[in-house]
Amino acid sequence: MQRILVVDDETAIGELLEVYLTNEGFKVDKFENAGDALACVQRTPPDLAILDVMLPDMDGFTLCQELRKEYLFPIIMLTAKVEDMDKIMGLTLGADDYMTKPFNPLELVARVKTQLRRSTRYNQGELAGRLPEEYDFRGLQISNTTHKCILFGEELQLTPIEFSILWHLCKNRTKVVSSEELFEAVWGEKYLDSNNTVMSHIARLREKMHEPSRKPKFIKTVWGVGYTIE
């Protein structure tokens, strides 16, 4: 049974999520503060976490950042804030998705399932019998079979979303991939013009690859068009 960590200081919301997720067959660990949540994760890491931004002892962004120091399970931010910068901050710190309150519980459950499917593929590799797929160039090795990425001998600790972005760019190497194409290929949802999700994850990916923001060696921005990897 897959475990979902829910951290929200609003008791009613925590209980609502617990009901919907339990009905879908998940085991739910529910907390109203970051400290108890961190202690639970250290004992039994979840398969996915849903974090509220406004918590009494530590904001959700900081909690997300703390979790990303050791864990790669998917994180969905749940927040009452709707400003673009708040969304970008959460994604840059390592969140995989976000939803704003008020939210539709059925949509949140659907997003949970999507992230878990992606995470399962990432951790277990592709279906048996598929031919190995790997790219190896200029010190970057990435395998879609083992879901590992090595840069100059160092294995990068990528989230499933980050791996999928890098893999799609490598698969389309030398081509310019638009933000719309990248978003729809990785997230499987319709892209909106105001969506900053791709940009935030690219920034996080470059950071992990130790890429200089002004003159990156691998993932390059083609202004007004999209991204390419060389």
Side-chain angles (χ1 to χ4, degrees):
M1 182 180 294
Q2 292 177 301
R3 305 177 71 95
I4 309 296
L5 174 70
V6 175
V7 190
D8 197 307
D9 65 344
E10 295 185 57
T11 302
I13 289 181
E15 291 177 347
L16 177 68
L17 291 177
E18 184 175 29
V19 168
Y20 275 85
L21 292 168
T22 300
N23 286 342
E24 293 295 326
F26 297 111
K27 173 71 174 66
V28 178
D29 295 315
K30 176 166 57 69
F31 300 96
E32 296 186 2
N33 64 78
D36 289 343
L38 281 171
C40 176
V41 170
Q42 291 171 356
R43 293 192 303 270
T44 309
D47 295 286
L48 179 145
I50 301 172
L51 310 180
D52 185 26
V53 170
M54 305 302 291
L55 297 172
D57 55 343
M58 178 190 299
D59 67 78
F61 295 138
T62 303
L63 176 56
C64 176
Q65 195 171 23
E66 287 297 310
L67 291 172
R68 277 292 175 251
K69 291 179 180 179
E70 297 185 48
Y71 305 99
L72 295 176
F73 53 75
I75 295 175
I76 298 176
M77 302 299 297
L78 190 61
T79 173
K81 296 184 176 182
V82 296
E83 291 83 359
D84 283 344
M85 286 309 299
D86 291 312
K87 297 174 184 177
I88 292 172
M89 180 183 295
L91 295 169
T92 302
L93 293 175
D96 297 280
D97 200 358
Y98 59 83
M99 288 194 69
T100 54
K101 300 177 182 178
F103 61 90
N104 184 328
L106 293 176
E107 181 183 352
L108 180 57
V109 170
R111 293 195 182 203
V112 166
K113 291 180 177 179
T114 296
Q115 292 295 334
L116 287 172
R117 283 196 299 270
R118 182 178 290 116
S119 180
T120 299
R121 290 198 302 267
Y122 176 83
N123 289 318
Q124 296 180 356
E126 296 296 314
L127 297 174
R130 288 193 61 177
L131 293 174
E133 296 181 78
E134 183 172 324
Y135 294 101
D136 185 349
F137 59 96
R138 295 176 51 217
L140 175 66
Q141 298 171 290
I142 183 169
S143 171
N144 200 33
T145 303
T146 63
H147 283 265
K148 289 185 177 181
C149 180
I150 298 174
L151 182 62
F152 301 126
E154 174 190 355
E155 183 174 347
L156 302 182
Q157 299 301 310
L158 303 181
T159 66
I161 286 283
E162 291 163 353
F163 180 91
S164 295
I165 290 173
L166 186 56
W167 176 257
H168 192 78
L169 289 174
C170 287
K171 187 170 65 173
N172 293 279
R173 186 182 170 199
T174 73
K175 299 179 181 178
V176 178
V177 181
S178 69
S179 295
E180 178 179 357
E181 177 188 338
L182 196 53
F183 183 85
E184 294 182 359
V186 174
W187 279 267
E189 299 176 10
K190 186 65 178 176
Y191 179 82
L192 300 176
D193 289 340
S194 60
N195 197 324
N196 292 302
T197 303
V198 172
M199 180 182 67
S200 301
H201 279 85
I202 290 288
R204 178 74 174 175
L205 189 52
R206 283 172 172 162
E207 180 182 343
K208 289 189 175 182
M209 295 175 72
H210 311 296
E211 288 264 75
S213 57
R214 291 183 178 274
K215 293 184 178 180
K217 297 179 180 178
F218 287 96
I219 303 175
K220 298 189 176 182
T221 301
V222 180
W223 295 108
V225 183
Y227 303 93
T228 185
I229 192 162
E230 298 179 353

